[in-house]
Amino acid sequence: MAYEEKMRMPAKAHHIIMEERSKLSITGVEDVASFDEDEIVMRTSQGDLIVRGSGLHIGKLTLDSGEVAIDGLVTELCYEETSHGGSLWSRLFG
């Protein structure tokens, strides 16, 4: 696939389904940056998503379809915006 074609592809749909804080199904995942039992960091079509908890385990990972299934106690879901140009303060005052 040519670079131009890849850039025109629409973003994958992004959904999160949580069951009883112990099972998490996520779609629209583009990459898993890091993971351990306490934190999983992944890039989604809607920004970087951090899942925190304890005993976290990736049960299913299919990057072709953008699906991830996580088991364990989920205590926090957090999105981080990716900034291209430094911190907010450096963009405001720099």
Side-chain angles (χ1 to χ4, degrees):
M1 176 182 313
Y3 177 75
E4 293 83 20
E5 290 177 23
K6 191 173 186 179
M7 292 303 294
R8 283 186 249 148
M9 292 178 63
K12 294 178 183 175
H14 177 58
H15 301 282
I16 297 176
I17 300 171
M18 186 173 353
E19 300 174 34
E20 302 289 331
R21 290 181 61 186
S22 63
K23 292 186 182 208
L24 196 60
S25 299
I26 305 170
T27 62
V29 176
E30 298 170 353
D31 189 24
V32 175
S34 65
F35 61 93
D36 60 32
E37 290 185 350
D38 300 318
E39 182 178 84
I40 300 172
V41 180
M42 62 193 90
R43 188 175 66 236
T44 74
S45 59
Q46 298 296 310
D48 291 346
L49 174 63
I50 301 170
V51 179
R52 292 188 178 104
S54 59
L56 298 177
H57 175 262
I58 297 177
K60 174 185 175 184
L61 173 62
T62 311
L63 292 179
D64 291 337
S65 61
E67 298 177 24
V68 173
I70 298 171
D71 299 313
L73 178 63
V74 176
T75 58
E76 182 180 352
L77 296 172
C78 177
Y79 284 93
E80 288 189 346
E81 298 298 324
T82 54
S83 67
H84 303 285
S87 69
L88 173 64
W89 298 114
S90 68
R91 289 193 314 264
L92 288 175
F93 300 109

